[in-house]
Amino acid sequence: MEQTFIMIKPDGVQRGLVGEIIGRFEKKGFTLKGLKLITVDRPFAEKHYADLSAKPFFNGLVEYIISGPVVAMVWEGKNVVTTGRKIIGATNPAELAPGTIRGDYAIDIGRNVIHGSDAVESARKEIALWFPEGIAEWKSSLHPWIY
Ligand code: RTP
């Protein structure tokens, strides 16, 4: 079953949006497989965002991510990578749709509350980076069409 890495960024934690964000993924029907509150250091944040290291906003982005605790999560379910990105909403604030997490709670691209993997392959890498200890092995005992 497909998995994605979702991170509630420091602004999301400090604004008290953790419960709201987890609720959106739970109510959609996805399964929570990993969850921890963690403050990461600069080398770790630089590794997570290595693909963006040439961007002019890279240093500011790293400062933002290390500024306080984040909630790192693994969610599982059918098409969870793509659907997770839809639940999160667009990166560009001008394209933000109401009803998405960023559309409802974010204004600024540099304080956009949440991260979600953009592809199955990046999800695999990000889960390995953030959860080197591994994640929970459990299956819902509900009917199989309830993910
Ligand atoms: P994320 O990786 O956090 O889920 O975001 P994303 O795929 O929607 O966007 P991406 O292009 O990967 O950018 C990663 C994060 O960098 C910050 N950013 N700042 N122009 C700017 O100042 C700028 N552009 C991007 C955002 O926090 C974005 O989520």
Side-chain angles (χ1 to χ4, degrees):
M1 186 60 85
E2 190 169 301
Q3 294 182 332
T4 193
F5 173 70
I6 301 288
M7 170 184 41
I8 305 174
K9 296 178 177 178
D11 52 335
V13 174
Q14 286 166 36
R15 289 172 58 196
L17 296 174
V18 172
E20 167 68 23
I21 290 170
I22 289 177
R24 289 189 181 206
F25 281 84
E26 279 186 324
K27 282 177 246 172
K28 176 70 180 170
F30 292 131
T31 306
L32 183 61
K33 287 291 178 102
L35 173 71
K36 62 184 173 187
L37 182 77
I38 177 175
T39 306
V40 297
D41 61 14
R42 184 176 299 274
F44 187 95
E46 287 176 349
K47 201 167 176 190
H48 172 77
Y49 279 122
D51 291 353
L52 300 174
S53 60
K55 300 280 186 192
F57 57 81
F58 181 69
N59 276 337
L61 175 59
V62 169
E63 288 288 340
Y64 164 40
I65 294 304
I66 67 176
S67 66
V70 301
V71 174
M73 296 181 281
V74 179
W75 286 91
E76 184 176 282
K78 192 173 179 183
N79 291 325
V80 69
V81 171
T82 304
T83 307
R85 297 275 292 186
K86 286 186 181 155
I87 291 171
I88 288 170
T91 309
N92 180 351
E95 291 163 14
L96 277 181
T100 64
I101 292 169
R102 288 175 179 165
D104 289 348
Y105 300 117
I107 296 169
D108 194 312
I109 194 169
R111 292 289 181 274
N112 60 1
V113 173
I114 183 165
H115 158 83
S117 306
D118 61 4
V120 172
E121 182 52 21
S122 45
R124 198 189 53 74
K125 281 191 202 153
E126 290 172 2
I127 292 167
L129 176 67
W130 287 82
F131 289 88
E133 69 277 24
I135 55 166
E137 286 295 333
W138 73 282
K139 259 197 177 343
S140 168
S141 56
L142 300 173
H143 192 280
W145 48 257
I146 302 172
Y147 294 111

